[in-house]
């Protein structure tokens, strides 16, 4: 099957993504009455996320595709744009956004961020079996199957992804031995449902004040953090010179290089010396993930740099450059969203939507009880569903200084991901009657 998009070269794809970002930022700052009204209801970040998805849906670009070579064989292709954005630009953005971090102010945010993260985790754990029970009353064949084809085994991989990330998802595939021929269907559910929730979350950011009012939330600690970072930036603000910009990029990508070097060596050392890390069926296998260590090292070094004089480069626009990188990452994530996939397996998609609804409902219930701001709800959810690639994006949408909160919570997700997913899988096995 040849399903290649119109443009397959990553250089052209990247150009189109930058065109969409340029369009979004040009229109969102336009004095036109139409655009002012439009962006009053639709956040610019949501547009930056959705437009690449539209390009993918129309077949103009694609994150991956299959072509037929001269011998008549199917050849799999994958765009490297997301890989570069997540492995190069994401760690660079985290460094630049933590440059002016105020650790004391983050500590003063209190326990609500962690409570909302753990609520999101519990929502995923109980959401899976509840979704199976609910769907089985209407369409038992959708959540049925036996042996390696049992749907609950496939949904276990979804639990791994939604609590931790890719490494946890792979671990669950190894542990529960789901039929790999059917695995692509689970990946589609993961992408479609997670992307729909991401879009709703971003839409909510534009209405966060109204949501906070409904939750009766006290977000004074968040405002204090934002104010402290902003006042510091204003105090040291200067018109950046070429030298400033080159030093900022030098700091960012030097740390990226160190993070990759450290991640590669730590991952290799742990994998070679610890059976629990090497064993893909082990809950400790996440510590063999290079991506996990890359994010952890980049964030840690960014925090350490914030104690040095290099912190003053925030005044030359370090976090703004970090925001540029984040928006490129957002566009590359949006590129994964093909709306036509929703109709490929409607039954499983519906299972995923019910599961996600339970996760979201529990988050809102707990947020209402403890009066947690929408920021904690959104970041707590994405630290589970999306992990380190999405949580800082959502956090930074509120304010660049908050990106680190998203990363720190996402790291928890990696640690508890396989344990939580295994508990979820066992509950789904019971719910499915087998």
């Amino acid at each position: 099957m040849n399903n290649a998009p119109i443009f397959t070269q990553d250089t052209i794809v990247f150009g189109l993504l930058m065109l969409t970002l340029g369009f979004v930022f040009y229109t969102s700052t336009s004095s036109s009455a139409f655009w002012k009204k439009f962006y009053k209801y639709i956040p610019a970040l949501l547009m930056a996320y959705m437009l690449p998805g539209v390009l993918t849906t129309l077949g103009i670009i694609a994150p991956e595709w299959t072509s037929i070579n001269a011998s008549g064989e199917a050849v799999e292709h994958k765009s490297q744009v997301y890989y570069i954005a997540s492995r190069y630009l994401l760690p660079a953005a985290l460094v630049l956004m933590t440059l002016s971090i105020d650790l004391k102010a983050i500590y003063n945010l209190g326990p609500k961020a962690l409570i909302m993260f753990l609520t999101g985790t519990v929502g995923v754990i109980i959401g899976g079996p509840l979704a199976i029970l609910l769907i089985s009353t209407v369409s038992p064949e959708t959540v049925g199957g036996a042996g390696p084809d049992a749907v609950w085994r496939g949904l276990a991989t979804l639990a791994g992804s939604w609590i931790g990330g890719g490494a946890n998802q792979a671990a669950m595939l190894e542990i529960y031995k789901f039929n790999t021929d059917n695995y692509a269907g689970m990946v589609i559910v993961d992408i479609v449902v997670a992307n729909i929730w991401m879009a709703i979350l971003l839409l909510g950011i534009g209405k966060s004040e109204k949501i906070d009012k409904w939750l009766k939330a006290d977000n004074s600690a968040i405002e204090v953090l934002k104010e402290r970072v902003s006042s510091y930036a204003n105090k040291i603000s200067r018109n950046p010179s070429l030298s400033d910009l080159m030093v900022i990029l030098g700091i960012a990508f030097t740390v990226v290089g160190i993070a990759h070097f450290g991640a590669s060596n730590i991952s290799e050392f742990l994998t070679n010396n610890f059976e629990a890390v090497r064993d893909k069926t082990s809950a400790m296998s996440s510590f063999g993930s290079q991506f996990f260590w890359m994010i952890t090292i980049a964030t840690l070094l960014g925090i350490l740099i914030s104690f040095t004089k290099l912190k003053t480069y925030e005044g030359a626009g370090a976090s703004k450059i970090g925001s540029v990188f984040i928006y490129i990452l957002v566009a590359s994530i949006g590129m994964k969203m093909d709306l036509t996939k929703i109709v490929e397996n409607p039954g499983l998609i519906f299972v995923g939507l019910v599961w996600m609804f339970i996760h979201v409902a529990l988050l809102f219930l707990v947020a209402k009880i403890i009066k947690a701001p929408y920021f904690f709800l959104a970041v707590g959810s994405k630290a589970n569903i999306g992990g380190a690639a999405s949580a800082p994006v959502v956090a930074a949408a509120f304010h660049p200084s908050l990106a680190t909160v998203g990363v720190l919570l996402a790291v928890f997700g990696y640690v508890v991901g396989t344990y939580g997913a295994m508990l979820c899988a066992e509950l789904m096995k019971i719910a499915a009657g087998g």
Side-chain angles (χ1 to χ4, degrees):
M1 183 181 87
N2 190 337
N3 62 349
I6 295 172
F7 299 108
T8 57
Q9 286 180 257
D10 278 341
T11 45
I12 299 172
V13 171
F14 182 73
L16 288 170
L17 294 182
M18 292 306 296
L19 176 63
T20 63
L21 290 176
F23 171 79
V24 169
F25 275 84
Y26 178 79
T27 54
S28 65
T29 55
S30 169
S31 57
S32 161
F34 171 78
W35 289 117
K36 279 187 175 181
K37 192 169 184 180
F38 180 84
Y39 285 104
K40 182 181 177 182
Y41 300 101
I42 307 295
L45 184 60
L46 177 59
M47 286 291 289
Y49 178 70
M50 292 295 290
L51 287 180
V54 172
L55 294 179
T56 297
T57 304
L58 295 175
I60 298 170
I61 60 176
E64 52 190 40
W65 66 93
T66 306
S67 67
I68 307 299
N69 64 15
S71 306
E73 299 169 325
V75 181
E76 301 290 334
H77 302 273
K78 191 171 186 177
S79 170
Q80 295 300 304
V81 173
Y82 171 75
Y83 179 86
I84 292 170
S86 61
R87 266 62 173 183
Y88 292 76
L89 301 185
L90 174 59
L94 295 177
V95 173
L96 297 179
M97 287 172 157
T98 53
L99 209 61
S100 60
I101 198 69
D102 188 328
L103 278 183
K104 185 180 178 183
I106 283 188
Y107 176 78
N108 289 338
L109 289 177
K112 288 183 180 179
L114 187 57
I115 291 171
M116 293 310 297
F117 163 75
L118 292 173
T119 299
T121 303
V122 172
V124 174
I125 292 172
I126 66 171
L130 286 176
I132 286 178
L133 287 172
L134 290 170
I135 300 301
S136 64
T137 62
V138 181
S139 176
E141 65 278 3
T142 301
V143 291
D149 293 318
V151 171
W152 70 264
R153 295 179 189 273
L155 294 176
T157 68
L158 206 58
S161 174
W162 283 359
I163 298 175
N168 307 85
Q169 187 176 27
M172 299 307 289
L173 185 62
E174 288 285 334
I175 293 168
Y176 290 101
K177 306 295 182 186
F178 182 59
N179 187 345
T180 52
D181 291 340
N182 301 330
Y183 181 53
M186 294 300 167
V187 174
I188 289 170
V189 176
D190 183 4
I191 292 170
V192 169
V193 176
N195 278 327
I196 289 172
W197 173 228
M198 178 78 157
I200 294 170
L201 265 181
L202 296 179
L203 187 62
I205 290 173
K207 315 229 181 311
S208 59
E209 287 186 14
K210 288 183 179 178
I211 297 173
D212 284 344
K213 191 174 180 181
W214 178 76
L215 292 170
K216 296 181 181 176
D218 175 19
N219 56 4
S220 56
I222 298 171
E223 293 304 320
V224 167
L225 174 58
K226 287 158 63 174
E227 179 59 35
R228 285 174 72 158
V229 171
S230 297
S231 62
Y232 176 75
N234 291 334
K235 188 169 69 176
I236 60 172
S237 181
R238 62 183 185 271
N239 191 25
S241 64
L242 177 61
S243 174
D244 286 331
L245 296 175
M246 291 306 293
V247 170
I248 289 170
L249 292 175
I251 293 167
F253 288 104
T254 298
V255 172
V256 171
I258 294 170
H260 275 272
F261 176 77
S264 176
N265 283 280
I266 292 172
S267 173
E268 185 178 345
F269 173 79
L270 292 176
T271 303
N272 291 339
N273 291 281
F274 296 93
E275 177 61 31
V277 176
R278 187 165 54 250
D279 181 7
K280 289 184 178 179
T281 64
S282 166
M284 301 295 289
S285 63
S286 299
F287 291 102
S289 165
Q290 289 191 23
F291 185 74
F292 167 79
W293 288 111
M294 178 198 72
I295 294 298
T296 304
I297 293 169
T299 305
L300 179 61
L301 291 177
I303 292 171
L304 291 176
I305 289 170
S306 73
F307 289 100
T308 71
K309 288 184 178 179
L310 293 175
K311 182 175 185 174
T312 59
Y313 279 97
E314 171 59 23
S319 63
K320 287 187 177 68
I321 295 174
S323 295
V324 170
F325 295 158
I326 285 288
Y327 269 93
I328 293 172
L329 175 65
V330 168
S332 71
I333 294 173
M335 174 184 165
K336 291 182 172 187
M337 182 168 51
D338 182 351
L339 298 175
T340 60
K341 298 287 186 184
I342 295 174
V343 297
E344 280 196 10
N345 196 334
L348 278 179
I349 296 290
F350 194 66
V351 173
L353 290 172
V354 171
W355 189 349
M356 187 64 71
F357 176 80
I358 294 167
H359 163 82
V360 174
L362 186 62
L363 280 168
F364 271 99
L365 175 63
V366 173
K368 184 77 171 172
I369 292 170
I370 67 171
K371 298 179 180 178
Y374 180 67
F375 168 72
F376 289 145
L377 185 153
V379 176
S381 176
K382 290 314 291 181
N384 283 283
I385 297 164
S390 298
V393 169
V394 172
F398 288 86
H399 193 274
S401 65
L402 299 171
T404 309
V405 179
V407 181
L408 294 175
L409 290 177
V411 168
F412 279 117
Y414 275 107
V415 175
V416 304
T418 304
Y419 294 105
M422 287 170 70
L423 175 57
C424 179
E426 293 304 322
L427 291 174
M428 287 192 292
K429 180 180 179 181
I430 295 168

